[in-house]
Structure formats: structure tokens, C-alpha cells
């Protein structure tokens, strides 16, 4: 999969659309509408990861790809594969997509 943009919400929406889920770009906290939260121990590749940064206004959404890694948009201005557990983004909440 190739992403053209580096905004986290557009990366998440692109992944959902590629998986056949008709999704629009929304605020990171609104991606829960496409599924439900699961315990991190049940996380699987394809889950979205929502970070609310403790309510400090720096919400982020990423796509989990397994083995503790995720695709993050707007990570230092780029789309990258990096750790799913970001020290600067708060506790991750994994979203299982319901199709």
C-alpha cells in the first residue's frame, strides 16, 4: 500500500478505503464509528490506533501493522512505520474495524 499524504487522518482513511470500508476523513477521536475498542493484547494488523494524549488536544490516529509497529502520518512531517507505543502520544486505544 502506498500513501500519498502524510496527515494521520488521511492515512487512516486511506487504509479503511483500501480495505473496502467506505470512510471519510474525520477527527482522530471519530474513527471509533468504524468499529469498537479492543484490548491491546487482542490487537491485530489492520486495527486503527487512537491516541488521545490524555485529553491535551494532540489526538492522533495510526494503522497497526503488527509486531508493535504502526503506520503513522505526520510523524515529523512524513508517513512512517514506527513503534505503536509512542511516548509522546498517550496510551494507545486499539480499534477493531467492523465491516
Amino acid at each position: 500500500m502506498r500513501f500519498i499524504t502524510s496527515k494521520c487522518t488521511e492515512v487512516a482513511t486511506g487504509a479503511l478505503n483500501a480495505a473496502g470500508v467506505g470512510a471519510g476523513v474525520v477527527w482522530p477521536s471519530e474513527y471509533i464509528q468504524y468499529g469498537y475498542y479492543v484490548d491491546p493484547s487482542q490487537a491485530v494488523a489492520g486495527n486503527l490506533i487512537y491516541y488521545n494524549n490524555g485529553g491535551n488536544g494532540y489526538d492522533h490516529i495510526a494503522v497497526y501493522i503488527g509486531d508493535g509497529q504502526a503506520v503513522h502520518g505526520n510523524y515529523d512531517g512524513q508517513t512512517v512505520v514506527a513503534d505503536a507505543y509512542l511516548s509522546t502520544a498517550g496510551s494507545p486505544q486499539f480499534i477493531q474495524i467492523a465491516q
Side-chain angles (χ1 to χ4, degrees), residues 53-72:
N53 200 25
N56 291 324
Y58 300 105
D59 290 7
H60 178 62
I61 194 86
V63 180
Y64 188 60
I65 58 172
D67 295 325
Q69 299 289 295
V71 176
H72 298 273

Side-chain angles (χ1 to χ4, degrees), residues 48-59:
L48 296 182
I49 310 172
Y50 170 61
Y51 307 85
N52 73 358
N53 200 25
N56 291 324
Y58 300 105
D59 290 7

